[in-house]
Amino acid sequence: MTRAGDGLLVTGTDTGVGKTVVAALLCRARPEATYVKPVQTGLAEGPADAEVVARLAGVATRQGPGFDEALAPAVAAARAGRVVRRAALLQPFGGLDVVVGEGAGGLLVELGTDGTTLADLAADLNLALVVVARPGLGTLNHTRLTCEAAWARGLRVTGIVVNRYPEHPGVVERTNLDGLAAFAPLLTVIPELPILKPPLPELPWPAR
Ligand SMILES: Nc1ncnc2c1ncn2[C@@H]1O[C@H](COP(=O)(O)OP(=O)(O)OP(=O)(O)O)[C@@H](O)[C@H]1O
Ligand SMILES: [Mg+2]
């Protein structure tokens, strides 16, 4: 069995919610962590998430199979004529002491052509989840769906991160924080960060 030591897996209520940004922040807090992206899609459209995290956090990174098309991983793999089994998704986690992993899309999207999801990887690796959520209307439902799917599989949700919290929150955003905190601990709220506008800066990390 592939074993990961200490660590977390970052999932989200949807694609594009900020999982990579949250993973980078977690890595900055644990510089000894290795960031792992078990499967990467959309390589034709922009940098791999591992590259973004390396830029933002200066940590070591590992990546599993990669695909050009920005599609759900199993769909991108099938269209590329490739087979992605669970073992290939677990492989980059092997032998790491501290890991910050990131799924693709949400918790139950098929990462492998064998149907493996991030929830399966979390169970196999015995890692808890961090759920990244949007601040606005709809997030209570999406976040609860994600948490309940995790709990139903016996997984732990360490907490929720609300990303892109507006500078001037309205009643929706303010009341959502209480609603979300009723599901799992609200770890932090991240504001809009202008530094993330492309191109990403070259941060001056000391050589490892
Ligand atoms: N707090 C923020 N402030 C400004 N921009 C942000 C913030 N969080 C995320 N973004 C931007 O939003 C986009 C999507 O964020 P990110 O790549 O972290 O999402 P993701 O959930 O990892 O997406 P994917 O499902 O593709 O892995 C990126 O361009 C990122 O720079
Ligand atoms: Mg990402």
Side-chain angles (χ1 to χ4, degrees):
M1 189 179 96
T2 305
R3 293 172 59 88
D6 196 5
L8 292 165
L9 291 179
V10 180
T11 189
T13 54
D14 198 358
T15 187
V17 289
K19 295 183 298 295
T20 303
V21 168
V22 169
L25 291 172
L26 289 168
C27 287
R28 289 190 70 146
R30 289 292 295 273
E32 71 275 34
T34 297
Y35 168 85
V36 179
K37 181 84 175 179
V39 59
Q40 176 72 59
T41 60
L43 286 171
E45 295 185 10
D49 287 356
E51 195 183 315
V52 173
V53 172
R55 284 261 194 127
L56 294 177
V59 294
T61 65
R62 290 189 189 170
Q63 187 194 291
F67 300 97
D68 282 344
E69 290 189 292
L71 296 169
V75 179
R79 282 170 55 89
R82 301 253 304 272
V83 170
V84 177
R85 296 199 179 87
R86 189 179 301 195
L89 299 166
L90 288 169
Q91 197 269 336
F93 290 93
L96 297 176
D97 289 333
V98 185
V99 54
V100 173
E102 178 189 345
L107 184 64
L108 297 188
V109 72
E110 295 189 353
L111 303 182
T113 51
D114 61 357
T116 298
T117 65
L118 189 72
D120 295 321
L121 300 186
D124 286 356
L125 296 164
N126 192 26
L127 290 174
L129 298 165
V130 168
V131 177
V132 183
R134 293 197 172 98
L137 209 55
T139 202
L140 293 176
N141 178 52
H142 293 146
T143 308
R144 184 167 177 177
L145 286 170
T146 301
C147 290
E148 293 211 353
W151 296 328
R153 289 161 176 78
L155 303 174
R156 289 160 290 144
V157 178
T158 293
I160 297 165
V161 174
V162 180
N163 190 32
R164 306 190 88 152
Y165 197 73
E167 193 180 345
H168 303 291
V171 67
V172 172
E173 290 82 8
R174 293 199 308 271
T175 55
N176 273 348
L177 293 186
D178 290 336
L180 291 170
F183 304 149
L186 199 56
L187 297 180
T188 192
V189 169
I190 302 173
E192 192 69 26
L193 298 171
I195 195 176
L196 295 176
K197 288 212 169 52
L200 285 177
E202 285 285 359
L203 298 179
W205 298 107
R208 262 181 281 113

